[in-house]
Amino acid sequence: MTGTARSVVVSGGGTGIGRAIAARFAAQGDRVTILGRRAGVLRETAESLGGDIHPVAVDLSAPEEVERTLDQFPPRVDVLVNNAGRRGTPAPEGGLKAVAEAWRQDFDHNVLPAVLLTEALLPRLSRPGGRVVTIGSLAALRGNGSYGAVKAALLAWNHTLATRLGPDGVTANVVVPGYVAGTEFFGGAPSEAELDRRRRQTLVGREGRPEDIAAAVAFLASPEAGYITGEFLNSNGGALLGR
Ligand SMILES: NC(=O)c1ccc[n+]([C@@H]2O[C@H](COP(=O)([O-])OP(=O)(O)OC[C@H]3O[C@@H](n4cnc5c(N)ncnc54)[C@H](OP(=O)(O)O)[C@@H]3O)[C@@H](O)[C@H]2O)c1
């Protein structure tokens, strides 16, 4: 353990990037609460990672569910990681009703989990010193339909959050991953051709790993990062430069 154990909440902490984030904090002795809709997945992750990890099953897109589970969240939150999200809905055919439904779905599952969880936990954030880190996407800077648009909404929302929390000594930042392999996001392992294509899009010649994103989150959550707020930090191996 390094220093004093912190209370960390990681949404989507049962799989992929969120799991790696939870593992990183737990390995340094922090108390980690992981959230997701599937209780069994969360339980399995908590058991296999070991450490001080507590699963809470909740659909973070549903305000009433967030309110119902509030008493299972820790009373004090030093680090909140808004990582839950899902792949965008393909451009639908079938008229405007289908278009509206697809956009609503992407908003509900990528923006609302961060907004609702943060609003619910605001009173419990450590002041000063609390940290909010949200996981965005390269798609927000490059396009990609409704998914890119809703991930861009997180960047705009983070500005407001940083403005609200700054006077209390709490920072709010976004980590913006490029392609990350080894998660459930794409619903299965990529083909070798797809992996190769993704690797060639980077400057460092490899795909992103959940641990790469966890390292960026750990930095922004650290006491040393207390002068950085309202920012986003790319982690994409050079797939997109300097924005
Ligand atoms: N993989 C990539 O290439 C990539 C690139 C850029 C950004 N990202 C972003 O990184 C984040 C993590 O994705 P990942 O790649 O690690 O994929 P993942 O393995 O599918 O992880 C997503 C996690 O979010 C949880 N989740 C989704 N909707 C939820 C909801 N409504 N309420 C509570 N939990 C919910 C899922 O658990 P349940 O299904 O059990 O709820 C799952 O554990 C996402 O925000 C994603 O947009 C990923």
Side-chain angles (χ1 to χ4, degrees):
M1 188 195 297
T2 56
T4 313
R6 293 186 292 177
S7 168
V8 181
V9 174
V10 184
S11 73
T15 67
I17 293 169
R19 189 183 199 275
I21 294 167
R24 181 159 181 140
F25 283 109
Q28 63 191 28
D30 291 328
R31 182 183 203 278
V32 186
T33 305
I34 54 173
L35 314 175
R37 289 165 299 181
R38 291 167 294 167
V41 169
L42 294 170
R43 216 171 25 247
E44 189 279 325
T45 294
E47 281 166 12
S48 68
L49 291 181
D52 197 3
I53 301 187
H54 302 265
V56 178
V58 53
D59 182 348
L60 293 167
S61 69
E64 61 286 357
E65 273 210 39
V66 178
E67 276 164 354
R68 187 177 53 73
T69 42
L70 253 186
D71 61 354
Q72 297 174 53
F73 300 163
R76 190 195 83 239
V77 177
D78 301 308
V79 181
L80 167 58
V81 184
N82 290 309
N83 162 77
R86 72 167 203 199
R87 196 177 180 186
T89 313
E93 291 168 15
L96 293 183
K97 205 169 162 203
V99 172
E101 183 51 28
W103 276 73
R104 284 199 184 101
Q105 285 287 322
D106 285 352
F107 186 86
D108 282 2
H109 290 279
N110 286 291
V111 178
L112 284 187
V115 173
L116 295 179
L117 182 62
T118 303
E119 289 293 337
L121 293 181
L122 273 186
R124 304 186 192 190
L125 279 177
S126 294
R127 293 174 165 81
R131 300 276 184 268
V132 182
V133 183
T134 299
I135 306 301
S137 172
L138 185 56
L141 309 176
R142 220 160 48 174
N144 201 5
S146 51
Y147 176 72
V150 299
K151 286 294 192 182
L154 288 175
L155 298 176
W157 168 72
N158 186 64
H159 288 157
T160 309
L161 193 61
T163 305
R164 280 170 79 185
L165 296 176
D168 289 340
V170 177
T171 68
N173 293 291
V174 181
V175 172
V176 180
Y179 173 71
V180 178
T183 82
E184 292 185 353
F185 190 76
F186 293 98
S191 67
E192 203 40 54
E194 172 65 7
L195 254 186
D196 190 50
R197 187 181 73 80
R198 298 281 193 173
R199 285 174 185 141
R200 280 189 280 106
Q201 285 177 347
T202 72
L203 299 179
V204 298
R206 70 165 175 85
E207 68 276 22
R209 300 173 189 130
E211 293 72 20
D212 295 318
I213 310 308
V217 171
F219 166 64
L220 288 172
S222 70
E224 290 79 5
Y227 203 56
I228 301 173
T229 194
E231 282 294 342
F232 65 88
L233 175 59
N234 287 312
S235 179
N236 61 37
L240 188 74
L241 295 179
R243 274 180 230 176

